[in-house]
Amino acid sequence: MLNINKKLQILLLLPLIAVQIKCGSSKSMASSSGKAESWITTTDETSKLKKQADLVFTSETNSNQTIEVDPSQKFQTIEGFGFSLTGGSVQAIMKLDKAKKEALLQELFSRNDDAIGLSYLRISIGASDLNEKVFSYDDMPEGQTDLKLEHFNLGPDLNDVIPVLQDILKINPNIKIMGSPWSPPVWMKDNGSSKGGSLQPKYYAVYAQYFVKYIQAMKSHGIVIDAITPQNEPLHPGNNPSLLMLAEQQADFVGNHLGPTFKAAGIKTKIIVYDHNCNKPEYPLTILRDSKANPFVAGSAFHLYEGDISALTTVHNEFPNKDLYFTEQYTGSKSSFENDLKWSVKNVVIGSMRNWSKNALSWGLANDEYYKPFTPGGCSTCKGALMIDQNQNIKREVGYYIIGHASKFVPEGSVRIGSDIVGNLHNISFRTPLGKIVLIVENDGASAETFNIKYNQKQISTSLNAGAVATYVW
């Protein structure tokens, strides 16, 4: 039998328990019977990530096609959405006066109401083809080598990329950063050129130390590199800079050199292999099947200039314990807002997420009105998410809205949940760490579509113009 004190404690706790139960039930009811906010971008550009009137969940039924969101189906945890912060992107941003620059960085990287909350950046280790000139972090006079990496330094990045990254980290200290090299130092290559050629096996161990020095040097400036890829587009040696690195070579480099060197140095940075097109899933599979390389590999990264986005699922199905990343897709200077919006949201944002990717990144964040800078032989048609001209005017290009429809609403730590693809309505849904539900829909059809969004036995009815993109949040 309970004593008086225990009875009194229980009686005092009962109202508190009742309040907790009531609060818990009202929270779940709010999701299913409350309102959904929505933001829409249309192909005619009359609405660009523009907030619409709230939609109300009801018990009413109709014969519309229905997207049902099912939070009981849980898939991958999301690490972020964003762009490559190229050297050229930084130079464009640094043209702005102090107030404009600060306002732009807040808009891009904060979680303020008027911001898009970018949460993942990819940067080049040394120069990419969207730098004004080619460089590595250990350039030597022709004919000379630096086996002890005594001349290693972050070079031009000390003047632009690193200060801007430090500014970004003040706004979002948790932003994920991935580093990718376009080429090793020329003296390590078999052709003595920044363009093409292969890494000589005799320099594999030195190159592994080069990555360690890079990660440590960035950390000394307060910048944590969460992941690296051994080579950007290893099957595209025609860019400047670039490198040909076959799958067997990358497996050897990772399994016998980079992985063990990271382990010995206590480096926790993830190693993500491949970092190229979806037409060659056999490339990362070759590395993941390698018994020496596999333990050091956290996942594989893809682009979509060739192939089908389902290649990510091909890799996932064989190695479900290894992560997938989508690390680059450009928007071109000669393509339309309409075509890029439809294609990239369908494939890069929705497609990558439905195929297990933990992130979705577009290519360059910014450039000038001439799509510069780029290296001799680099990409002259790559359109950044922002165009910043000589007069400090900022134009938000289609890439800003492609990624913004996800980054603004789906923070790091969100979990992809179930949702049906219905007819032309391609979509993806998430539960955020704060318990919000986010649904992104792209109407891939040739005419407007009316449809329902069903959640927890309630639904809203809405419509979306041909080619338009909407994000719904409740």
Side-chain angles (χ1 to χ4, degrees):
M1 191 172 178
L2 291 173
N3 61 36
I4 297 297
N5 285 338
K6 290 249 176 135
K7 283 183 179 179
L8 186 58
Q9 286 175 349
I10 291 169
L11 287 170
L12 288 170
L13 282 171
L14 281 173
L16 180 60
I17 294 167
V19 166
Q20 288 174 334
I21 292 169
K22 185 177 180 182
C23 287
S25 62
S26 66
K27 184 179 180 181
S28 64
M29 287 300 291
S31 297
S32 58
S33 62
K35 294 178 179 179
E37 298 177 309
S38 64
W39 287 258
I40 289 179
T41 299
T42 54
T43 57
D44 64 5
E45 303 186 55
T46 56
S47 179
K48 291 179 175 180
L49 202 53
K50 186 176 179 182
K51 195 172 190 300
Q52 310 296 306
D54 288 352
L55 301 162
V56 180
F57 280 95
T58 72
S59 300
E60 296 174 12
T61 58
N62 56 51
S63 58
N64 296 341
Q65 56 191 336
T66 299
I67 299 170
E68 182 162 6
V69 177
D70 182 2
S72 70
Q73 295 181 44
K74 296 177 183 177
F75 302 91
Q76 75 273 27
T77 300
I78 306 307
E79 291 187 9
F81 297 89
F83 297 91
S84 287
L85 185 72
T86 63
S89 297
V90 169
Q91 286 186 353
I93 291 168
M94 289 181 77
K95 290 178 194 169
L96 300 171
D97 63 42
K98 185 176 180 181
K100 276 190 176 180
K101 177 186 157 193
E102 174 61 22
L104 178 62
L105 293 180
Q106 287 288 341
E107 177 188 338
L108 293 172
F109 297 101
S110 79
R111 300 216 70 86
N112 299 334
D113 288 345
D114 58 351
I116 61 169
L118 300 177
S119 50
Y120 206 116
L121 288 174
R122 181 173 177 241
I123 58 176
S124 60
I125 299 174
S128 76
D129 60 307
L130 293 190
N131 277 77
E132 62 181 354
K133 64 179 182 179
V134 174
F135 64 89
S136 79
Y137 295 139
D138 200 328
D139 291 327
M140 298 295 294
E142 188 174 350
Q144 294 185 31
T145 62
D146 182 20
L147 300 182
K148 294 183 179 178
L149 302 176
E150 291 171 336
H151 298 278
F152 181 96
N153 69 88
L154 296 174
D157 287 348
L158 288 166
N159 301 320
D160 44 39
V161 172
I162 287 170
V164 170
L165 277 174
Q166 289 170 332
D167 289 342
I168 291 167
L169 285 163
K170 290 173 187 172
I171 298 167
N172 179 3
N174 299 314
I175 196 164
K176 289 276 199 296
I177 300 171
M178 173 185 284
S180 301
W182 267 238
S183 173
V186 165
W187 56 265
M188 296 185 187
K189 301 172 73 173
D190 60 8
N191 70 342
S193 170
S194 62
K195 182 177 178 179
S198 294
L199 177 66
Q200 297 184 68
K202 66 182 179 180
Y203 294 125
Y204 280 10
V206 180
Y207 196 39
Q209 289 292 346
Y210 179 93
F211 280 90
V212 170
K213 279 190 168 288
Y214 166 70
I215 291 163
Q216 291 173 339
M218 293 297 276
K219 189 175 181 181
S220 74
H221 293 283
I223 300 162
V224 174
I225 303 299
D226 182 71
I228 58 91
T229 65
Q231 175 59 37
N232 169 69
E233 298 191 342
L235 299 178
H236 177 32
N239 203 355
N240 186 27
S242 61
L243 177 82
L244 177 66
M245 181 181 268
L246 302 178
E248 294 77 12
Q249 294 171 321
Q250 193 163 120
D252 180 7
F253 177 60
V254 170
N256 295 308
H257 301 280
L258 187 63
T261 299
F262 273 20
K263 185 177 180 181
I267 298 291
K268 303 299 183 186
T269 301
K270 302 184 191 86
I271 298 172
I272 311 296
V273 298
Y274 189 40
D275 206 6
H276 207 172
N277 288 326
C278 287
N279 63 333
K280 299 284 185 184
E282 62 270 22
Y283 188 115
L285 287 172
T286 295
I287 301 170
L288 291 169
R289 290 169 186 158
D290 184 283
S291 60
K292 287 189 175 179
N294 179 289
F296 298 113
V297 176
S300 309
F302 288 85
H303 308 174
L304 192 54
Y305 302 111
E306 293 183 82
D308 189 271
I309 195 66
S310 61
L312 280 70
T313 290
T314 299
V315 176
H316 170 82
N317 287 345
E318 186 168 342
F319 293 95
N321 63 323
K322 299 295 186 180
D323 294 330
L324 279 304
Y325 295 85
F326 191 91
T327 48
E328 181 186 315
Q329 193 68 33
Y330 95 140
T331 51
S333 61
K334 297 176 182 177
S335 56
S336 68
F337 185 98
E338 175 181 2
N339 289 340
D340 279 338
L341 179 72
K342 288 175 61 175
W343 190 91
S344 283
V345 172
K346 176 184 174 182
N347 290 284
V348 173
V349 177
I350 294 170
S352 73
M353 293 287 124
R354 291 193 82 97
N355 285 279
W356 297 97
S357 186
K358 294 176 77 73
N359 72 348
L361 308 181
S362 282
W363 185 207
L365 178 59
N367 50 241
D368 70 14
E369 61 267 49
Y370 306 108
Y371 307 105
K372 291 182 177 179
F374 48 85
T375 62
C379 182
S380 61
T381 59
C382 290
K383 180 165 60 179
L386 305 169
M387 186 276 285
I388 303 174
D389 70 18
Q390 302 301 320
N391 298 316
Q392 301 193 34
N393 297 308
I394 303 170
K395 181 183 179 186
R396 288 150 189 83
E397 302 279 12
V398 64
Y400 177 96
Y401 301 102
I402 291 164
I403 294 299
H405 263 281
S407 61
K408 183 176 178 68
F409 311 102
V410 186
E412 177 192 356
S414 299
V415 175
R416 177 192 151 210
I417 58 176
S419 60
D420 306 321
I421 290 184
V422 181
N424 296 312
L425 300 172
H426 291 264
N427 64 81
I428 191 77
S429 59
F430 308 89
R431 182 190 287 275
T432 73
L434 294 178
K436 294 273 190 181
I437 304 297
V438 179
L439 174 70
I440 303 169
V441 182
E442 181 261 336
N443 178 4
D444 209 47
S447 58
E449 302 257 359
T450 299
F451 60 99
N452 302 323
I453 299 169
K454 186 177 180 181
Y455 178 79
N456 202 11
Q457 306 307 311
K458 304 267 184 169
Q459 65 185 30
I460 53 179
S461 183
T462 189
S463 63
L464 198 56
N465 288 342
V469 175
T471 301
Y472 304 93
V473 182
W474 66 90

